[in-house]
Amino acid sequence: MAAPQPNNRVMVYGYAASPFYQKITYLLDHYQVEWTLVDVPPVMPRPMLSKLLGITYRRIPIVFIDGQAYIDTTAASLALERTFGGGSGPKSLLRQFPALQLQLAVNWAESSIFRLGAGHLYNAPLNETFVKDRKEFMPGSSFDGAAMKARVPFVRSQLVANLEAIESHLKEQGGGGNKFLFGDEPQYLDFSLFTPLNWVQTQLRTGEDLLPTLSAKNPNQDWSKYPFPRALTWLASVREYIAQHKVKPVKLSAEQAAEVILKQSEQNAGKTEGGLKVSKDDPLVKAGWVSGEKGQKVSVTPVDTGRVPQVGKLVGLDSSSVTIKVEVPQGSKSIFATFPRVNFDVRAVDGAKL
């Protein structure tokens, strides 16, 4: 029987090539937290989540902290910050402009910048299974290499506009004297913006002169000859910081991980549910879309990509998050899963007004 250990207080379900998984690992490196990795395939199905834990939500990563699931990168990032950031201490990544950083992360770094990164997939060896899966994940998107190459001028034009914004900000921050976006220490937006840009620069390697491929022989190369030297220097600073703080995870099998998570969830269930409320002032409650009572069966679904609903019993609802109790298919156990409100739709499953 697997027993909870210090290094599996945080468990991450993910796969190495996922930029969103990579972002979570960067945060864990920063917080210097021991953690456990559970490998998942890059395409559906993922029985280690659906069958063993009742998680039907399809995007990766999924992060468990003390047995509670945090679904979507934003929810997971905020949970890590609350648990390990130390409030306003030196490890906090939201010491400055927290609301602004979060909005820029969600609506800029993880949306428009990430899409520009995905626009550089034209040389990636995408197999038929992956393409079919991603077409279901992002209806209407094309993964045809020729079609993606035809869009490269547009993608580059948008990348230029966004890199110019970063370059201008760094210039305004002190003429290049600061290593990071808000000073000499990284903040949440540093890791959020770094992730998709680094994906293009170091993995896809299709950024050409805008995000030039790194030289293994000279990682600290001279960026002054490129169009956005401050942005490239900043990227190198974040990359160096991560390398200096790298925490190597331990691994558990899906079965071992599920056993530990269910035990943690059972131990913390009373505290978790007792600390949550359903806001009667929520617009969905006022409109009758959900009852406003704990225990109502609801679905939580992304509104952008991967629109697979996660069903559970409502236990918490406020302006920033929704938490549901998810029944595990095998046995009579359950886990709690928390989602952000931004870009997620909450609906009653039992026939409440739509």
Side-chain angles (χ1 to χ4, degrees):
M1 179 178 291
Q5 302 294 324
N7 54 18
N8 53 43
R9 185 182 178 192
V10 176
M11 294 199 188
V12 182
Y13 284 70
Y15 60 94
S18 163
F20 293 98
Y21 162 80
Q22 292 165 15
K23 175 182 172 177
I24 292 298
T25 70
Y26 301 152
L27 300 183
L28 290 165
D29 292 337
H30 167 77
Y31 294 125
Q32 291 290 279
V33 173
E34 293 183 341
W35 59 286
T36 296
L37 169 63
V38 184
D39 287 316
V40 302
V43 298
M44 299 296 278
R46 297 187 179 115
M48 66 287 297
L49 286 165
S50 59
K51 290 186 178 181
L52 297 181
L53 294 169
I55 299 294
T56 56
Y57 174 85
R58 63 150 297 160
R59 299 197 300 207
I60 291 297
I62 292 177
V63 178
F64 287 84
I65 303 176
D66 297 329
Q68 182 169 347
Y70 292 92
I71 295 181
D72 188 80
T73 310
T74 299
S77 300
L78 286 173
L80 290 172
E81 171 71 13
R82 285 193 302 270
T83 308
F84 304 108
S88 59
K91 281 295 180 183
S92 173
L93 289 174
L94 291 170
R95 295 192 304 275
Q96 303 179 62
F97 318 112
L100 179 63
Q101 286 199 68
L102 286 168
Q103 287 300 315
L104 287 173
V106 172
N107 296 307
W108 185 28
E110 294 178 2
S111 55
S112 58
I113 299 288
F114 173 74
R115 286 194 295 271
L116 294 177
H120 286 78
L121 282 167
Y122 52 85
N123 281 340
L126 306 179
N127 62 45
E128 185 177 341
T129 302
F130 181 89
V131 170
K132 180 181 178 182
D133 179 81
R134 288 309 188 267
K135 283 183 176 179
E136 294 174 357
F137 181 72
M138 295 182 284
S141 298
S142 173
F143 289 88
D144 175 72
M148 285 194 286
K149 281 186 177 180
R151 282 178 52 83
V152 167
F154 170 76
V155 171
R156 283 180 61 82
S157 73
Q158 298 302 296
L159 185 57
V160 165
N162 283 279
L163 286 172
E164 181 61 50
I166 297 171
E167 188 81 4
S168 297
H169 170 77
L170 290 167
K171 184 177 180 180
E172 292 165 0
Q173 283 293 100
N178 293 334
K179 292 181 67 174
F180 303 105
L181 294 176
F182 299 107
D184 292 329
E185 297 293 333
Q187 291 285 283
Y188 182 65
L189 189 59
D190 285 285
F191 295 113
S192 299
L193 271 177
F194 169 82
T195 299
L197 296 174
N198 182 64
W199 182 40
V200 174
Q201 188 176 16
T202 66
Q203 295 170 65
L204 301 180
R205 300 185 179 187
T206 46
E208 300 181 9
D209 60 318
L210 301 181
L211 293 169
T213 301
L214 297 179
S215 168
K217 295 181 179 179
N218 183 22
N220 298 316
Q221 59 201 79
D222 178 14
W223 303 114
S224 62
K225 61 183 178 180
Y226 296 102
F228 302 105
R230 291 182 179 85
L232 292 171
T233 301
W234 160 73
L235 283 167
S237 295
V238 179
R239 193 175 298 114
E240 181 182 24
Y241 179 90
I242 291 168
Q244 292 173 347
H245 293 78
K246 184 60 65 179
V247 177
K248 186 177 181 180
V250 299
K251 286 190 177 184
L252 281 182
S253 70
E255 291 75 17
Q256 290 173 320
E259 186 178 346
V260 172
I261 287 168
L262 293 174
K263 181 177 292 185
Q264 291 171 328
S265 180
E266 185 177 13
Q267 291 172 344
N268 296 318
K271 180 180 178 181
T272 300
E273 189 163 2
L276 294 168
K277 296 180 180 179
V278 177
S279 172
K280 304 295 184 182
D281 294 325
D282 192 275
L284 297 183
V285 175
K286 288 184 174 181
W289 286 24
V290 295
S291 68
E293 301 296 330
K294 285 189 176 185
Q296 183 182 28
K297 193 174 184 180
V298 299
S299 65
V300 185
T301 310
V303 300
D304 43 12
T305 59
R307 299 173 188 171
V308 177
Q310 177 66 58
V311 175
K313 293 180 179 178
L314 184 66
V315 293
L317 183 73
D318 59 30
S319 60
S320 61
S321 66
V322 54
T323 300
I324 59 176
K325 188 175 184 179
V326 177
E327 301 299 325
V328 176
Q330 301 174 0
S332 57
K333 297 184 180 296
S334 60
I335 61 171
F336 295 95
T338 296
F339 302 74
R341 291 298 298 275
V342 174
N343 293 328
F344 280 82
D345 186 18
V346 183
R347 300 288 179 111
V349 174
D350 54 6
K353 188 185 300 182
L354 297 181

